[in-house]
Structures are given as C-alpha cells and as structure tokens.
Amino acid sequence: QAQLRESGGGLVQPGGSLRLSCPASRIITSTFTASDMAWHRQAPGKQRERVALLTSAGTTNYADSVKGRFTISKNNARKMVYLEMVSLKPEDAAVYYCNIETPYGSYWGQGTQVTVSS
C-alpha cells in the first residue's frame, strides 16, 4: 500500500514561510495521477481540519483561514505533493498531514510539526 512521509516542518517566525513536501512511495504513477491530494492539520486540543485539496482534475479548495496564503501543488512524475505556506500566523501552528485518496484507498502520512512563534 502507498506510503507518505511529510517533511519541511519546523519553527518559523510570524510572517515567515515554509514549504512542506510529501513524497509518495509504493504507488504507481498512474494511480498517483488519478488521486486527489490534500493537506490537513491538527493543533493541540482541536479537531483535524483539511486546509487544502487538489483533485485529480486540477481543482483546488482551501480552508477560509488559509486562502491566499497557502498553495497546494503536486508533481505527478515525481509523485510528490507540496504545500507552500506564506505569511504564517501563530494560529497556523499544528501538525500537518499529507493525505491521498486513491481509487483503492485513503492514505496518510505521520505528520510534520509546524511551529509559528517569535
């Protein structure tokens, strides 16, 4: 089954930027291409929320709280999913999870911590 492993999290000051990456392994390129991709986050004491979605058709959808600041993208040939985050705010601090919805199942990474603090 597919495996995802997020990277790129860390400590950043308010107003700063980060780029999260999520390589997918054990999945063939055609299945990856046909899948929807998403990034979710979960802050302490809060429910997990989806912040960005990229469908296989190329449609994107963002949570209101991140619109205009976050951008989801992918590279089908490299089987990579990205989340570009700019103008980060303290309330963006959370564990960020990569998720792909394939025709055969849903897969999640283990998460990467993003901390926004001065």
Side-chain angles (χ1 to χ4, degrees):
Q1 60 185 33
Q3 292 182 342
L4 307 175
R5 191 176 187 89
E6 304 90 341
S7 64
L11 172 63
V12 63
Q13 292 186 341
S17 302
L18 282 175
R19 187 194 198 202
L20 305 184
S21 298
C22 178
S25 59
R26 302 182 69 176
I27 181 172
I28 62 175
T29 301
S30 59
T31 299
F32 183 88
T33 302
S35 301
D36 293 345
M37 315 290 170
W39 286 91
H40 304 248
R41 68 185 181 189
Q42 187 167 21
K46 294 187 177 181
Q47 288 188 327
R48 187 175 297 189
E49 63 169 339
R50 191 182 73 193
V51 296
L53 169 70
L54 174 60
T55 70
S56 59
T59 303
T60 57
N61 184 270
Y62 297 94
D64 288 342
S65 58
V66 307
K67 279 181 182 176
R69 300 188 298 120
F70 288 14
T71 303
I72 185 172
S73 62
K74 66 173 181 174
N75 183 314
N76 288 327
R78 298 184 65 187
K79 292 182 283 187
M80 293 282 288
V81 188
Y82 305 99
L83 184 68
E84 190 78 34
M85 307 184 291
V86 301
S87 301
L88 282 162
K89 305 175 181 179
E91 52 263 41
D92 293 319
V95 178
Y96 282 72
Y97 299 90
C98 177
N99 158 237
I100 64 171
E101 299 289 335
T102 80
Y104 312 107
S106 176
Y107 301 96
W108 292 79
Q110 293 189 329
T112 185
Q113 177 72 51
V114 172
T115 303
V116 185
S117 175
S118 54

